[in-house]
Amino acid sequence: MPREIRFNAFEMNCVVHQSPGLWRHPRDRSRDYRKLQSWVALARTLERGLFDGIFLADVLGVYDVFGGSAQSALAHATQVPVNDPLLLVPAMAAATEHLGFGVTVTLSYEPPLPFARRMSTLDHLTDGRIGWNVVTGYLDSAARGMGEVGQRRHDDRYAAAEDYMAVVYKLWEGSWADDAVVADTATGVFTNPDRVRRVSHEGTHYRLDAVHLSEPSPQRTPVLYQAGTSPAGRAFAGRHAECVFMSGPSVQVITPRGASIRAAARDAGRDPTAILIFALMTIIVAPSDAEAKALLDDYRGYADHEGALTLMSGWTGVDFSTLDLDSIVQHVENDAGRSALDNITRADPSRTWTVRDVAEHVAIGGIGPLIVGSPATVADELERWMETTDLNGFNLAFAVRPETFDAVVDLLVPELQRRGRYKTAYAPGTLRNKLFGHDRLDETHPAASVRWL
Ligand SMILES: Cc1cc2nc3c(=O)[nH]c(=O)nc-3n(C[C@H](O)[C@H](O)[C@H](O)COP(=O)(O)O)c2cc1C
């Protein structure tokens, strides 16, 4: 049986997510990011297309690496203005029954207790369809906005994340017993105090002495997503992640990363095949190859190359404004994200990238591959990716909003279903149940060890 192909939509509560300049396209509706109805409509479209989820990215700072200021980011709207992703979820959940919500929240700037309560709240309100993309941030501007001088060192961010996870697991899994809420109208006891316990934590980065404020929610711990593939990132994913998002331009870059994530899960005593791995991709699909190609040519007319380099500078910590457009991008080590620069330097030694190549590539859909063609052509290419990479699916970026997703749902999904490569109905229940067949994290996961049995 060939492996099922899964889709997530890669979105962000802003104008320019991964395709700078495309907001100017006459059919693009990106400015409607401020309108709840645009998110509700998108959620319905994605559910019609049986997407596993909508994955909402987030940053808490501006992309001010390019040119050393926020000027370019503001002018080109590269991930600024950006609104809070979590506030979109209840409206989208009310309009759908099955779609999952993988929301990015950085753990670097918020104490565990209020964050844990917010996720429990959303797990209740979505009937167990909330997921958390665990990030620590990569922008110094975000750290400065929080009153710090700069971000923590790269590997120390992962060490802090390890401690943060230990705290939130105790809150989600260990503070309230399953039978704590009795709601006994005869005795007047709502919660049995003997079945709720304080969490005490004295860790390397966090301390806490508290009772979790929410009663047990359907999944307890939200479905855990992770997206870093540096050595420290892989080790973290191996221990904690249930789904991993990767970005890279080719199968050559993605394949070893997927293998290394599965190896890290094996090292952590978990089932490596149970981790779902999604690669970033942008799909331009139209009824025929010629129409898809024409669509791409049309889109390219709106691509904003400075915006692309502004994004890339933020992701990599390298100021691309100082580099000659025809120079070859070199690897450097710094405290921004590591995989982003690896993608265009050492991850695939057979390919070099000039700054111009980067600007042109990243302007449509970011650093992931761009697949263009008829439903049959695109489906062939996705099958080739699946056969060579050991992936579980794709995290789809958009060029024109919501046109890119409409086309995938209306044209590509039926083709994949005809080939038996895509589900024809959702599984029931919580997001974790749909993805893995159980509501709670399994016994091999570190969260299970703090459970109140
Ligand atoms: C597809 C994808 C989406 C990501 N989304 C976010 C995000 O929304 N916010 C964020 O702060 N980091 C995001 N990241 C960055 C990662 O969390 C991580 O910081 C980055 O990949 C660097 O980690 P590494 O050095 O371990 O590779 C994303 C990464 C990838 C590949």
Side-chain angles (χ1 to χ4, degrees):
M1 257 301 261
R3 187 181 282 178
E4 175 189 340
I5 298 176
R6 297 174 167 279
F7 284 156
N8 275 286
F10 192 29
E11 264 287 2
M12 192 166 184
N13 195 359
C14 65
V15 183
V16 171
H17 181 205
Q18 301 271 311
S19 299
L22 272 293
W23 61 272
R24 300 171 293 177
H25 191 280
R27 289 193 301 277
D28 186 88
R29 297 284 167 270
S30 285
R31 267 224 93 196
D32 291 346
Y33 81 98
R34 298 164 301 159
K35 303 291 174 201
L36 212 42
Q37 280 315 320
S38 74
W39 292 100
V40 165
L42 177 63
R44 290 197 172 116
T45 300
L46 299 175
E47 183 156 281
R48 184 160 55 79
L50 303 174
F51 275 50
D52 283 346
I54 179 168
F55 173 50
L56 293 163
D58 193 34
V59 288
L60 281 174
V62 290
Y63 282 68
D64 60 1
V65 178
F66 185 89
S69 84
Q71 206 165 342
S72 179
L74 289 166
H76 298 263
T78 46
Q79 302 192 358
V80 61
V82 58
N83 283 344
D84 191 309
L86 281 172
L87 298 180
L88 302 174
V89 172
M92 290 194 282
T96 54
E97 197 184 333
H98 296 288
L99 188 70
F101 304 97
V103 190
T104 302
V105 182
T106 174
L107 54 80
S108 298
Y109 308 117
E110 185 176 1
L113 185 76
F115 168 69
R117 181 177 69 161
R118 230 162 47 252
M119 295 311 265
S120 295
T121 305
L122 284 171
D123 201 41
H124 281 297
L125 295 180
T126 61
D127 286 324
R129 287 187 281 148
I130 195 74
W132 172 29
N133 177 35
V134 185
V135 306
T136 58
Y138 47 80
L139 294 168
D140 271 327
S141 63
R144 289 195 301 271
M146 303 297 154
E148 292 166 19
V149 183
Q151 3 175 35
R152 288 188 181 115
R153 306 298 305 266
H154 180 273
D155 286 5
D156 191 39
R157 292 205 294 277
Y158 280 111
E162 197 62 45
D163 197 32
Y164 197 97
M165 300 309 284
V167 184
V168 291
Y169 291 153
K170 288 182 188 172
L171 292 167
W172 286 323
E173 302 281 341
S175 187
W176 292 58
D178 283 340
D179 58 1
V181 174
V182 286
D184 189 332
T185 50
T187 61
V189 172
F190 188 81
T191 302
N192 179 352
D194 297 337
R195 304 295 289 159
V196 179
R197 62 185 180 188
R198 297 189 83 76
V199 168
S200 290
H201 183 85
E202 292 271 345
T204 50
H205 293 73
Y206 296 94
R207 302 167 67 177
L208 169 141
D209 178 20
V211 162
H212 188 40
L213 296 167
S214 303
E215 65 177 276
S217 66
Q219 303 181 114
R220 298 269 193 147
T221 299
V223 172
L224 297 171
Y225 298 77
Q226 205 270 350
T229 45
S230 65
R234 292 198 294 261
F236 183 86
R239 277 194 295 280
H240 301 280
E242 300 176 271
C243 301
V244 171
F245 288 129
M246 298 188 170
S247 65
S250 60
V251 291
Q252 287 79 354
V253 172
I254 290 294
T255 306
R257 286 194 187 151
S260 68
I261 293 282
R262 296 203 195 278
R266 194 177 302 112
D267 291 347
R270 299 173 63 210
D271 176 3
T273 61
I275 295 191
L276 297 179
I277 304 183
F278 298 84
L280 176 65
M281 179 175 273
T282 306
I283 292 174
I284 311 291
V285 62
S288 67
D289 285 341
E291 287 165 287
K293 164 99 181 34
L295 211 46
L296 176 63
D297 290 343
D298 173 36
Y299 292 171
R300 283 209 196 283
Y302 297 90
D304 166 3
H305 294 160
E306 183 175 320
L309 294 179
T310 303
L311 284 175
M312 204 60 194
S313 298
W315 293 330
T316 59
V318 172
D319 181 358
F320 277 80
S321 78
T322 63
L323 305 178
D324 186 274
L325 274 178
D326 294 309
S327 63
I328 292 183
V329 181
Q330 305 292 338
H331 181 78
V332 293
E333 193 96 327
N334 60 30
D335 279 317
R338 300 235 162 117
S339 315
L341 196 57
D342 275 4
N343 279 330
I344 50 166
T345 55
R346 52 187 188 178
D348 178 6
S350 71
R351 166 142 200 216
T352 53
W353 292 72
T354 64
V355 174
R356 192 188 306 279
D357 294 335
V358 174
E360 288 173 0
H361 182 98
V362 169
I364 298 195
I367 198 65
L370 183 59
I371 311 292
V372 183
S374 68
T377 301
V378 174
D380 286 349
E381 186 61 9
L382 295 193
E383 290 192 313
R384 187 181 76 84
W385 269 74
M386 293 295 290
E387 269 41 290
T388 44
T389 55
D390 195 20
L391 288 172
N392 300 93
F394 301 95
N395 187 30
L396 299 183
F398 61 90
V400 168
R401 194 194 236 155
E403 181 169 288
T404 306
F405 291 126
D406 290 341
V408 167
V409 168
D410 292 330
L411 301 175
L412 179 60
V413 166
E415 173 67 23
L416 293 172
Q417 286 170 328
R418 264 193 297 279
R419 296 180 181 207
R421 294 303 295 256
Y422 197 89
K423 60 175 136 355
T424 53
Y426 281 108
T430 62
L431 177 58
R432 184 171 287 114
N433 194 61
K434 289 181 205 310
L435 298 176
F436 305 106
H438 43 90
D439 290 336
R440 307 279 301 275
L441 279 161
D442 72 38
E443 293 307 314
T444 65
H445 194 278
S449 67
V450 296
R451 218 166 254 163
W452 188 345
L453 297 172

